[in-house]
Amino acid sequence: MIPLTWYLVLSAVLFCIGLYGVLARRNAIAILMGAELMLNSANINLAAFERYVAAGSVAGQVFVIFNIAVAAAEAAVGLALILAIYRSRDTVSVEEVDLLKG
Amino acid sequence: MSLTQAVFILLGGMAVLGALGMVTLRNLFHSALAMILALFSIAGIYVLLEAEFLAVVQVLVYVGAIAMLILFGIMLTRDIVGRASAVRNRQWPLALAVSAGLLAVLAVALVRAAWPLATYAPAQGGVADLGLALMGPYALPFEVASVLLLVAMVGALIIAREARE
């Protein structure tokens, strides 16, 4: 049997890698990919807690399904925004998109 | 070490490897392929957690739809002239320090915490229970999620539409 801690540590490692990707990459699509990885690590946590702490309930899996739905919406709108920025600014590097910078 | 633990280590290692490749690879296309490896491994983790429906949804939605969407985005926005630009921004050492620090804090907290473990009962019902829960107590959030998806779809179409002169 796998200890609960293993799942939690794996999820923490994936979350921190995703956080690094969001903070350190320059390409807007790479940042979006990092955010997706962070959402995935949260999903692992929800599923693991349901399995080990709230056994017999399906609330954790229901939460994961809603989380995946929200992540899909986020990816679609995020990529649409990136495409719109690419059309108007001809770049997807977040450092060159500084229209609102004072 | 039991077989399931070995499988977990294999899947977890693949997920971490894919995630590291995703944030470090120079070519964005390779980076997306590494992300697909990580997402597939996470589907395997769901199987180990006896959440088979989540594993199927993970492969369908993440690997099938979101990864394809991201690959399309990469190909639509790729610099044709091939401007050589750095992968990381100027604040990457700070980002690395913040991520590593958060990981250290989380690892210590997670390992030392005493979780109120339930008696390890084998999962019952599975997909049938999940479907009943979505149609019963979670019916309202389920409908709200479908409205959210509709609004996001319409919004994405409007934002990404070519502006007509």
Side-chain angles (χ1 to χ4, degrees), chain A residues 1-87 89-96 101, chain B residues 1-2 4-5 8-9 12-13 15-16 19-26 28 31-32 35 38-39 42 45-46 48-51 53-54 57-58 61-62 66 69-70 73-74 76-80 83 85-92 95-96 98-99 102-103 106-107 110-111 115-124 126 129-130 133-134 138 141-142 145 148-149 152 155-157 159-163:
Chain A
M1 181 188 148
I2 304 164
L4 171 64
T5 318
W6 289 21
Y7 289 107
L8 302 183
V9 169
L10 172 69
S11 152
V13 169
L14 291 177
F15 185 88
C16 291
I17 295 174
L19 180 67
Y20 171 76
V22 168
L23 291 176
R25 294 290 296 238
R26 292 175 83 238
N27 190 302
I29 295 178
I31 291 174
L32 200 65
M33 279 156 53
E36 294 294 338
L37 190 66
M38 288 163 82
L39 284 164
N40 258 289
S41 76
N43 288 348
I44 295 178
N45 256 3
L46 287 170
F49 275 126
E50 184 220 86
R51 185 79 189 80
Y52 285 83
V53 179
S57 128
V58 289
Q61 292 194 43
V62 172
F63 268 60
V64 172
I65 288 173
F66 288 143
N67 211 349
I68 289 176
V70 173
E74 177 243 339
V77 175
L79 279 167
L81 284 171
I82 292 171
L83 282 182
I85 290 170
Y86 181 72
R87 271 215 199 92
R89 308 275 293 174
D90 209 26
T91 179
V92 285
S93 167
V94 288
E95 287 180 335
E96 291 169 46
K101 204 170 178 181
Chain B
M1 187 192 294
S2 68
T4 46
Q5 291 181 339
F8 177 88
I9 289 173
V16 171
L20 283 176
M22 189 195 95
V23 294
T24 51
L25 284 177
R26 175 162 281 275
L28 202 57
S31 171
M35 181 189 72
L39 295 179
I42 291 171
I45 298 282
Y46 285 142
L48 281 183
L49 280 167
E50 294 170 40
F53 185 70
L54 291 188
V57 168
Q58 170 85 6
V61 175
Y62 270 106
I66 294 183
L69 204 61
I70 285 176
I74 291 170
L76 283 174
T77 59
R78 198 154 46 170
D79 289 328
I80 299 162
R83 262 181 304 175
S85 60
V87 175
R88 301 172 297 201
N89 56 23
R90 282 186 303 277
Q91 62 182 6
W92 77 267
L96 188 62
V98 167
S99 307
L102 180 65
L103 179 59
L106 279 177
L110 292 176
V111 171
W115 302 106
L117 289 185
T119 47
Y120 194 79
Q124 74 253 31
D129 279 352
L130 192 58
L134 279 176
Y138 297 99
F142 185 75
L148 172 78
L149 282 174
L157 281 174
I159 293 169
R161 195 179 52 175
E162 197 100 45

